[in-house]
Amino acid sequence: MNKLRVATPGDAVPILDIYSPYILNTSVTFEMEVPGISAFSERITGYLESWPWLVYEVDGDVAGYAYGTRHRERIAYQWCVETSVYVDSRFQKQGIAIALYDALIEILNYQGFRNLYAGINLPNDKSVAFHEKCGFTWFANYKNVGYKLGQWKTVGWWIRRLNEYSDDPKPPLKFSELEPGYVNGVLSKYS
């Protein structure tokens, strides 16, 4: 049975099982060391205060996850979110990443965010194609912005606009303030 749900701190181990190979063997993420379980559990808890962190289960196994997080620190950036999605290699090409992103984007839209950003370490044709399929468009490259696995890396930036830009916008709703009934409705729609 497939199920899309909100992550919990208890998901740290299966999520790290998915994420660790990306940390250790690729430059998809610029994280260099696998976080400890406790620290990663705290990360999940911290993100869930303001942004969704979703997991997709297949027969009880966490097959993938997606989340939003702060784009930049300053308050004027509060309407912008960075998004990420990771799927276990055993479950790729099954529509899981799309389901996760569709649900994530619907919730972020409801919260009142204006811009979604995806930073993609280049080259990464698979991620570029995925994000463009999800409505993101390229707008910039940060050349040689990071160094990992013995190489200087360029990160391309893609954007997806959500809500209209307006004068005097209200701050986005925090994820923790959303009605559980609304969130569960979105999750069941994409499960």
Side-chain angles (χ1 to χ4, degrees), residues 4-18:
L4 185 56
R5 63 174 176 79
V6 175
T8 70
D11 291 316
V13 170
I15 289 173
L16 279 172
D17 286 345
I18 294 168

Side-chain angles (χ1 to χ4, degrees), residues 3-191:
K3 180 181 180 183
L4 185 56
R5 63 174 176 79
V6 175
T8 70
D11 291 316
V13 170
I15 289 173
L16 279 172
D17 286 345
I18 294 168
Y19 187 44
S20 295
Y22 290 99
I23 297 170
L24 298 172
N25 306 319
T26 77
S27 55
V28 167
T29 175
F30 280 0
E31 195 147 9
M32 302 287 262
E33 295 180 5
V34 176
I37 294 167
S38 177
F40 204 74
S41 293
E42 290 174 19
R43 183 184 302 183
I44 293 168
T45 299
Y47 283 24
L48 284 171
E49 177 65 27
S50 297
W51 309 281
W53 188 316
L54 309 177
V55 297
Y56 195 100
E57 288 184 348
V58 174
D59 297 327
D61 290 330
V62 174
Y65 66 97
Y67 62 91
T69 188
R70 175 188 322 268
H71 171 63
R72 301 281 305 244
E73 279 292 316
R74 306 291 183 256
I75 195 72
Y77 290 110
Q78 68 182 308
W79 294 274
C80 302
V81 176
E82 287 186 39
T83 60
S84 294
V85 61
Y86 291 88
V87 176
D88 186 304
S89 60
R90 298 172 297 153
F91 297 99
Q92 292 184 2
K93 298 189 185 267
Q94 297 180 27
I96 292 170
I98 289 284
L100 283 161
Y101 249 34
D102 284 348
L104 181 72
I105 290 167
E106 186 168 326
I107 293 168
L108 292 169
N109 184 64
Y110 181 81
Q111 287 180 262
F113 292 104
R114 300 315 198 268
N115 299 323
L116 303 183
Y117 295 112
I120 302 173
N121 185 337
L122 300 175
N124 189 337
D125 294 342
K126 184 175 160 184
S127 186
V128 168
F130 171 77
H131 281 88
E132 289 180 352
K133 182 178 180 180
C134 291
F136 288 75
T137 57
W138 174 86
F139 71 94
N141 282 348
Y142 290 5
K143 290 188 72 71
N144 300 324
V145 70
Y147 186 83
K148 186 173 179 185
L149 301 175
Q151 295 181 10
W152 284 101
K153 304 303 290 185
T154 294
V155 173
W157 285 94
W158 274 254
I159 185 171
R160 177 170 170 174
R161 185 172 152 205
L162 292 181
N163 292 289
E164 293 293 321
Y165 303 115
S166 59
D167 294 333
D168 199 27
K170 294 179 183 171
L173 298 170
K174 290 186 174 190
F175 182 69
S176 60
E177 296 171 347
L178 299 183
E179 290 293 326
Y182 165 76
V183 174
N184 290 334
V186 171
L187 299 178
S188 65
K189 182 169 141 180
Y190 296 104
S191 287

